[in-house]
Amino acid sequence: MEMYRSHVLVCAGAGCISSDCKSVQQALLANINDLRLDNEVKVVETGCMGPCDLGPVVMVFPDGVFYRKLKPEDTREIVNEHLLKGKVVTRLLHTPVGSTEKVTSINELEFFQRQTRIALRNTGLINPESVEEYIARDGYRALGKALSQMTPEEVVITIKESGLRGRGGAGFPTGLKWQFTAAAPGSPKYVVCNADEGDPGAFMDRSILEGDPHSVLEAMAICGYAIGADKGYIYVRAEYPLAVERLELAISKGREYGLLGENMFGTGFSFDVEIRVGAGAFVCGEETALLASIEGQRGEPRPKPPFPAQEGLWGKPTVINNVETLANIAQIILNGAPWYASMGTEKSKGTKVFALAGKVNNTGLVEVPMGTTLRDIIFDIGGGINGGKKFKAVQTGGPSGGCIPEAYLDTPVDYDSLNELGTIMGSGGMIIVDEDTCMVDLAKFFLDFVQDESCGKCAPCRIGTKRMLEILERITSGQGREGDIELLEELSYGIKNSALCGLGQTAPNPVLSTLRYFRHEYEAHIRDHKCPASACPELLTYYIDPRACKGCGVCSKACPSDAVLGEKKKPHTIDLNKCIKCGTCKQKCKFDAVITV
Amino acid sequence: MKSLAELDKLRDTLQQEMKARQGEHDVSIAVSMGTCGIAAGAREVVKVLLNELKEQELSYVALTQTSCVGLCRQEPLLEVKMGDEKVIYVNVDQEKAKEIVRRHLMRGEIIKEWTAS
């Protein structure tokens, strides 16, 4: 038997990889070998643990000690003191925001305490490249149970009764989708996993694929059994090379163990999975465009109906489920529909993974029951706004969603409550913005994104979003005109009603929702030529506060347009005719003497 | 994979290897590893313990270390915890360590004459 007295888990999610977890891991291994602890201590590379702002992170078991922001040179101390002598290295522990006490164990971190991890149950805890570790945590038991103890109909009913809804954005009931596809005439049928995660700021699907790829494969096989399909495709974007690599490995390991392939569990059921790598077009997350792309066609959507459940891949009945949706399936089969349905709100059951990004202290991935309030997510788990700034809004649902202002922070988050607020759940991205963010500029960012990603097949999306973007550019550069707001609204409703697919139909949402809650910011830009958040550079006027200016001359040297005038050791001034509003003087000034109005 | 039973059998074996990753353990051995303990041979005791646990397939036991507990004269020293019961053994050598695993952990017999008085 393989046995180690200590397991050291090193996070190797993409977030930690970019903060150089690889060299931390190498240094750790080297130090362990130096002290000849390699027979006693096992180093395990895991997927994303969640607290991405603290990376690279390491967890030491059996004590469950959590170290953060490690550098390769820190590992010597961890090995010498902790792994050899059992002394926790206090210096490398985490101090949560607003606390003065260091936290030793992950169980004490509010970031983890407040979470209910179902879709993320294994990410960060197991080695994603080891099917053995997945099996040890009840992996593939749900598949075995479904195949040997349940009829396909019973599987569909279980998923239906669990209340699981699609986690990719629209929130369609998963069980219904399976039922429609199972009932549709035509053969063969297909299972497709939509791993074309494209919303800016959302990365839960990547994290699941990188951290727990077998959970997706197992769920696809269960779905195949339920609907009568023996073939599945995972459509994953080429920008996720690590996810592709780990999926490929997982598929070959699955085949090796007979957990994919012919005659699984001796029941005669066969299922296999192939990967299709997408070139990274946002529109390919739309299901009909995604199917076209798998078939080798141009990634363009087509009108619905017919829905993929009737005519999907190569015209055959097809289930398309998102990664996070699939990651819930095995747990529902194992624990039963009532267990899953006991969590969440009336119409949104279970848990949801949110990706916290933007001006929040604890950026990363969190999984909480549906119905948790925005305030809990952003302030308790997320640790509030960084730099002591004031919360302004949270953008949910990416470019198809909208923003929610402070007044609605106590809203329990589910599909329907977010719809009522004029936004959507989407894939669960949450971008938190503070008082320094201009809401017109934010809307412009998202519109710029969809305009760029529009496939161009239908005119409302191709031309309409372009016109809207032009108006927003005009407004943020101080050239806004009376009537622009009304024109934006008219265009928005026109595009929503006439665009071909979900991308176009939701493209105006960021504009409509910022208009709903922050109309005064649009008005200030247009009428007063002012940006209330002091964020739009072209609407700012730079001044030097004569009381604060020491006359050091740093700003005048740095100014690219020679707009700063004045003698040494005397307060300087800015020639507004020459000033190009680049902000260099403000950045360079050590005395905060440059102010913007 | 031929059946659910086969999968469950495989799972049970694999779970043993993952035991160290559980946060809480009912049974644990903590070896005191201050400078005093190491000088007295605590490192060797840890190695022997791990081997013995492996050999006896006692993967549910957590093997950890603590710092000096103050009884430097009686090092190497270790504490066996089973549920709420804690027993401290002193002047442990490699042979004693093996015995502690076999008698205390496997048979529940506390070896009185080696405990701290």
Side-chain angles (χ1 to χ4, degrees), chain A residues 256-520:
Chain A
E256 217 173 276
Y257 272 90
L259 295 161
L260 284 176
E262 303 284 316
N263 192 19
M264 291 148 66
F265 290 90
T267 59
F269 174 72
S270 303
F271 191 81
D272 208 359
V273 176
E274 271 183 46
I275 300 173
R276 286 289 180 274
V277 178
F282 183 63
V283 74
C284 285
E286 199 281 334
E287 50 187 16
T288 59
L290 183 149
L291 293 176
S293 180
I294 293 181
E295 290 170 3
Q297 319 280 333
R298 183 182 282 227
E300 284 180 344
R302 61 161 174 79
K304 291 186 281 192
F307 290 95
Q310 272 84 41
E311 287 177 34
L313 198 56
W314 290 296
K316 303 294 182 188
T318 304
V319 160
I320 304 176
N321 282 150
N322 152 277
V323 173
E324 190 192 333
T325 317
L326 290 170
N328 285 294
I329 298 290
Q331 289 295 300
I332 294 173
I333 298 291
L334 281 181
N335 300 312
W339 163 79
Y340 196 78
S342 70
M343 289 173 282
T345 61
E346 196 196 334
K347 288 184 178 161
S348 305
K349 300 300 185 189
T351 56
K352 176 81 192 82
V353 183
F354 293 103
L356 297 182
K359 306 286 181 67
V360 67
N361 278 315
N362 305 333
T363 52
L365 284 186
V366 300
E367 182 170 356
V368 290
M370 291 275 190
T372 306
T373 65
L374 284 167
R375 193 183 295 281
D376 281 351
I377 297 173
I378 298 166
F379 287 87
D380 290 350
I381 302 173
I385 311 302
N386 49 19
K389 296 272 184 176
K390 201 170 168 299
F391 171 88
K392 189 173 198 174
V394 51
Q395 164 85 21
T396 71
S400 301
C403 64
I404 302 169
E406 198 181 359
Y408 299 97
L409 271 180
D410 291 310
T411 309
V413 179
D414 67 14
Y415 289 101
D416 309 293
S417 66
L418 292 186
N419 279 349
E420 271 167 39
L421 292 175
T423 176
I424 60 166
M425 175 78 80
S427 55
M430 280 198 180
I431 299 172
I432 290 109
V433 299
D434 66 7
E435 53 191 318
D436 292 341
T437 304
C438 167
M439 299 311 281
V440 188
D441 190 49
L442 184 75
K444 190 179 81 176
F445 167 82
F446 282 112
L447 212 66
D448 189 30
F449 180 87
V450 286
Q451 208 276 315
D452 218 31
E453 293 290 347
S454 171
C455 76
K457 184 170 180 176
C458 73
C461 179
R462 183 182 70 241
I463 305 171
T465 57
K466 179 85 179 158
R467 294 290 93 84
M468 285 181 73
L469 181 63
E470 284 167 1
I471 297 169
L472 288 173
E473 276 169 350
R474 196 157 76 205
I475 293 174
T476 51
S477 65
Q479 311 295 316
R481 307 174 198 147
E482 277 305 323
D484 271 352
I485 295 178
E486 291 72 18
L487 189 54
L488 278 174
E489 286 173 330
E490 193 189 330
L491 279 165
S492 293
Y493 291 116
I495 296 168
K496 272 176 95 72
N497 291 332
S498 57
L500 179 60
C501 80
L503 189 151
Q505 287 156 15
T506 57
N509 283 358
V511 174
L512 287 174
S513 88
T514 44
L515 272 173
R516 177 166 165 184
Y517 299 115
F518 297 95
R519 199 181 187 93
H520 55 275

Side-chain angles (χ1 to χ4, degrees), chain A residues 83-84 133 138 141 265, chain B residues 2 8 11 21 33 65:
Chain A
L83 297 179
L84 181 65
E133 294 200 357
D138 288 341
R141 281 207 82 232
F265 290 90
Chain B
K2 294 281 168 282
D8 280 348
R11 177 194 62 167
R21 225 172 291 178
M33 289 277 279
Q65 301 106 306

Side-chain angles (χ1 to χ4, degrees), chain A residues 2-3 5 7 37 40 61-62 83-85 125 132-133 135-136 138 140-141 149 257 265-266, chain B residues 1-4 7-8 11 14-15 17-18 20-23 33 43 46-47 50 54 64-66:
Chain A
E2 191 193 355
M3 189 177 163
R5 63 174 169 82
H7 286 202
L37 292 174
E40 302 171 36
F61 283 100
L83 297 179
L84 181 65
K85 300 182 199 161
L125 277 178
E132 292 83 7
E133 294 200 357
I135 292 173
D138 288 341
Y140 289 104
R141 281 207 82 232
Q149 295 167 9
Y257 272 90
F265 290 90
Chain B
M1 201 57 60
K2 294 281 168 282
S3 67
L4 187 56
L7 179 73
D8 280 348
R11 177 194 62 167
L14 295 170
Q15 268 178 353
E17 296 172 10
M18 297 267 289
R21 225 172 291 178
Q22 280 169 2
M33 289 277 279
R43 267 298 288 145
V46 170
K47 284 185 195 167
L50 184 65
K54 236 188 261 190
T64 62
Q65 301 106 306
T66 63

Side-chain angles (χ1 to χ4, degrees), chain A residues 7 25 193 199 216-217 274 530 580:
Chain A
H7 286 202
Q25 191 183 343
C193 169
D199 285 1
V216 176
L217 299 181
E274 271 183 46
K530 291 266 185 256
I580 56 165

